Amino acid sequence: MPPSETTFPGVPRGPGPYRVRGAGGSGVGRARVEVPARRSVHLRSAERLRELCCSNRGTFIKVGQHLGALDYLLPEEYTRTLKVLHSQAPQSTRQEIEQVIREDLGKEIKELFISFEDTPLGAASLAQVHKAVLQDGRTVAVKIQHPKVQAQSSKDILLMEVLLLVVKQIFPDFEFMWLVEEAKKNLPLELDFLHEGRNAEKVAHMLKNFDFLKVPRIYWELSTSRVLLMEFMEGGQVNDRAYMERNGINVNEISRNLGKLYSEMIFVNGFVHCDPHPGNVLVKKCPASGKAHIILLDHGLYQVLSESFRMDYCRLWQALIKADMKRVQKYSRRLGAGDLYPLFACMLTARSWESVNRGIDQSPVSASEDMEIRSNAAAYLPQITQLLNNVPRQMLLLLKTNDLLRGIESALHTRASASSFLNMSRCCIRAVSTYQRSKSHSLYRRAQISLTEALSLWQINLYELFLWLKGSQLGNWVIALLRRMQHFTY
């Protein structure tokens, strides 16, 4: 093999244009752009898949939306084509809405509401949301399930399973059975709006210390498994930078706070909102306080992380941030990546192998690196699908969540900022320390763990202060003063 051509351990070198290239062993993120013929096949297949989803609606649209969110894991032709499913979800008619409300609440719309807007605020694959005003004057959002979705969903999943099994027989490398397994597990929960309401209350209580987070209150007296009444909240979508600038909202603060929320959910609590697409995360400036709020909507899809998984995931991210490749390998293998651990690290971080080795906090993502990562999603598709089948099922929704959050950061131009890694590091340290204390029976050992935790957090705070000074006018004055003092000394 020529010295300019490199591969990962455990990642076979692809033929021709799929060969991994790059000086210095750069790995993923250094592949040549794939041949036009392959891109054309991907696009044609993606368009047919989109048509299949639109024709069958319901569960098929839900699965298509899930695939469309995997920006850094699937070929761009698929994700770009399937993203439109978010805006092409079916809408129930007024008669269908009245029928569901009548069956579930036992009353007509005019008996429950002073006003009820016919045009939905938003329509998704399983339900749609309308703005309404209750008889007592409260403005609410009414989420109503499409009437035929529940009855049809089990048939859709069975059909999907049969189709995927047939395709796998023809193409043995086609490893997408995890899609069906995830749909079987999550869809019944998403179709139970009472479960969604409980999730909303749980996360609101869990993150109550974050005063910038707003979760709509649930009105249980008018909620059923198919109808959910919530406090009405509005704002701009979290990826709308222009909206934030018009309303005097600090983009970096929003990005930083969103990172805090998800680091807390993933690393500390192990209870994760797994559908943070821009329509489900709104921002609004409070007129009274002037503070910017993040509004978290749609609480149907959550992932509960086991303690052992959460600890391995914490330690893996700590290793990635520190560029400790031995520990990256160790914890990637513990999470099911096996010999494909370099590819797994690149999938998690959406960075090139070169950047992972150097340290993902050392430099921001360049446009060329981002493009190379996306193009390599096609070059390494067989290995990626193999990984998705091998990793714990808890990982699948986290990968989707990671990609959705990266999409928001890219739109806001805040990707790979130092503050996001500092927040992650804080949460990982707290989570690991809490776990270690819970397993220790020695008072001395628990005190030792607490001291180590406090010192580590203090180091992060000090480093954050240094970064702030470095980027501030005050910091520039201090640096200039120190240089002048040094000049006088000599």
Side-chain angles (χ1 to χ4, degrees):
M1 184 190 299
S4 63
E5 297 177 358
T6 58
T7 59
F8 299 116
V11 181
R13 184 179 66 178
Y18 298 95
R19 186 174 296 131
V20 180
R21 301 183 61 87
S26 54
V28 164
R30 293 294 177 192
R32 286 190 245 164
V33 177
E34 50 177 344
V35 289
R38 181 62 64 94
R39 295 179 70 91
S40 176
V41 170
H42 282 322
L43 182 59
R44 185 169 69 247
S45 301
E47 288 172 344
R48 289 177 178 174
L49 182 58
R50 181 190 62 200
E51 290 167 10
L52 174 71
C53 292
C54 289
S55 299
N56 288 278
R57 302 172 61 167
T59 308
F60 280 83
I61 285 184
K62 188 73 182 175
V63 171
Q65 289 173 342
H66 181 87
L67 291 173
L70 301 176
D71 278 309
Y72 295 91
L73 303 182
L74 295 180
E76 186 182 4
E77 291 77 18
Y78 282 91
T79 57
R80 188 178 63 245
T81 303
L82 295 175
K83 276 189 194 304
V84 302
L85 293 174
H86 280 290
S87 58
Q88 291 186 2
Q91 288 188 18
S92 294
T93 64
R94 171 80 181 204
Q95 290 72 26
E96 289 172 325
I97 291 166
E98 288 175 342
Q99 178 188 343
V100 172
I101 289 178
R102 189 184 305 117
E103 289 174 356
D104 280 41
L105 297 177
K107 292 184 179 180
E108 299 296 330
I109 285 180
K110 62 184 179 181
E111 295 178 75
L112 295 166
F113 306 103
I114 296 172
S115 66
F116 187 95
E117 294 187 2
D118 285 342
T119 305
L121 296 168
S125 54
L126 306 181
Q128 61 193 52
V129 179
H130 292 258
K131 184 179 179 181
V133 179
L134 291 169
Q135 295 291 345
D136 60 10
R138 288 176 293 174
T139 303
V140 294
V142 188
K143 184 173 182 177
I144 304 162
Q145 196 173 110
H146 299 311
K148 298 176 183 177
V149 165
Q150 209 157 48
Q152 191 65 32
S153 62
S154 56
K155 298 174 187 175
D156 287 345
I157 292 173
L158 179 61
L159 175 59
M160 204 178 299
E161 187 170 16
V162 170
L163 288 172
L164 288 174
L165 285 171
V166 170
V167 172
K168 183 169 171 54
Q169 291 299 314
I170 302 170
F171 304 103
D173 288 338
F174 189 86
E175 297 280 0
F176 276 89
M177 288 308 296
W178 56 270
L179 264 179
V180 174
E181 293 170 14
E182 285 299 289
K184 280 182 178 178
K185 181 186 76 175
N186 293 317
L187 198 58
L189 297 175
E190 290 191 77
L191 287 169
D192 181 2
F193 289 176
L194 295 177
H195 175 77
E196 177 177 344
R198 289 190 291 270
N199 284 344
E201 289 194 340
K202 181 176 178 177
V203 81
H205 177 74
M206 189 177 81
L207 302 176
K208 62 185 177 183
N209 292 332
F210 294 119
D211 59 356
F212 57 81
L213 173 65
K214 301 298 173 186
V215 177
R217 177 187 169 192
I218 306 299
Y219 298 120
W220 291 108
E221 67 275 14
L222 292 172
S223 294
T224 70
S225 62
R226 294 195 301 168
V227 179
L228 189 66
L229 251 72
M230 303 162 280
E231 176 186 3
F232 177 75
M233 291 185 173
E234 59 185 342
Q237 292 194 354
V238 72
N239 64 342
D240 191 343
R241 188 182 176 98
Y243 168 87
M244 295 188 209
E245 289 172 351
R246 284 197 309 271
N247 289 274
I249 297 173
N250 187 313
V251 173
N252 290 315
E253 181 186 353
I254 290 295
S255 181
R256 185 166 57 249
N257 286 342
L258 188 62
K260 284 181 182 178
L261 287 178
Y262 271 87
S263 291
E264 193 80 14
M265 281 193 271
I266 293 169
F267 300 116
V268 178
N269 295 289
F271 185 67
V272 189
H273 181 289
C274 287
D275 201 12
H277 73 76
N280 288 340
V281 187
L282 307 181
V283 293
K284 186 176 183 180
K285 192 169 186 176
C286 176
S289 65
K291 291 183 178 179
H293 291 157
I294 293 177
I295 302 167
L296 199 57
L297 306 175
D298 197 345
H299 299 270
L301 186 59
Y302 272 74
Q303 180 65 65
V304 179
L305 307 180
S306 69
E307 188 175 63
S308 59
F309 175 92
R310 185 166 56 88
M311 286 302 103
D312 285 341
Y313 195 63
C314 277
R315 288 172 170 133
L316 174 56
W317 269 104
Q318 286 180 309
L320 286 165
I321 292 169
K322 293 176 182 176
D324 183 342
M325 303 318 296
K326 286 186 178 179
R327 286 168 65 84
V328 167
Q329 179 178 354
K330 175 184 176 180
Y331 289 107
S332 294
R333 288 182 182 278
R334 286 181 63 159
L335 288 168
D339 289 339
L340 292 172
Y341 72 88
L343 182 59
F344 183 56
C346 295
M347 288 165 60
L348 271 182
T349 60
R351 300 297 300 270
S352 69
W353 183 235
E354 182 180 2
S355 294
V356 171
N357 274 276
R358 189 172 58 241
I360 54 176
D361 63 338
Q362 296 302 305
S363 60
V365 186
S366 66
S368 59
E369 183 183 6
D370 191 68
M371 183 182 71
E372 288 163 353
I373 286 289
R374 290 174 185 270
S375 66
N376 270 327
Y380 283 97
L381 188 57
Q383 289 83 11
I384 289 172
T385 56
Q386 182 186 338
L387 264 173
L388 293 176
N389 267 310
N390 291 344
V391 296
R393 289 292 166 257
Q394 299 167 74
M395 182 64 72
L396 297 176
L397 283 178
L398 285 190
L399 288 169
K400 172 197 171 185
T401 303
N402 284 346
D403 274 3
L404 286 168
L405 292 172
R406 278 190 204 105
I408 292 169
E409 289 177 345
S410 294
L412 299 180
H413 309 302
T414 58
R415 251 198 88 187
S417 65
S419 64
S420 64
F421 293 121
L422 292 174
N423 286 325
M424 288 175 68
S425 295
R426 282 192 184 96
C427 286
C428 288
I429 289 167
R430 287 169 49 215
V432 171
S433 298
T434 300
Y435 172 77
Q436 289 175 335
R437 277 193 296 269
S438 72
K439 298 300 179 183
S440 175
H441 301 292
S442 163
L443 185 62
Y444 171 77
R445 176 61 183 147
R446 287 199 293 269
Q448 192 179 40
I449 292 166
S450 296
L451 180 61
T452 303
E453 176 188 11
L455 286 172
S456 298
L457 293 173
W458 180 79
Q459 286 177 328
I460 290 175
N461 291 339
L462 195 63
Y463 182 60
E464 189 171 42
L465 177 62
F466 165 75
L467 290 177
W468 178 80
L469 284 171
K470 187 179 176 183
S472 69
Q473 187 64 44
L474 176 61
N476 291 331
W477 289 342
V478 171
I479 291 169
L481 179 62
L482 289 173
R483 283 176 179 168
R484 182 170 295 183
M485 288 172 66
Q486 186 180 31
H487 174 74
F488 287 135
T489 302
Y490 288 104

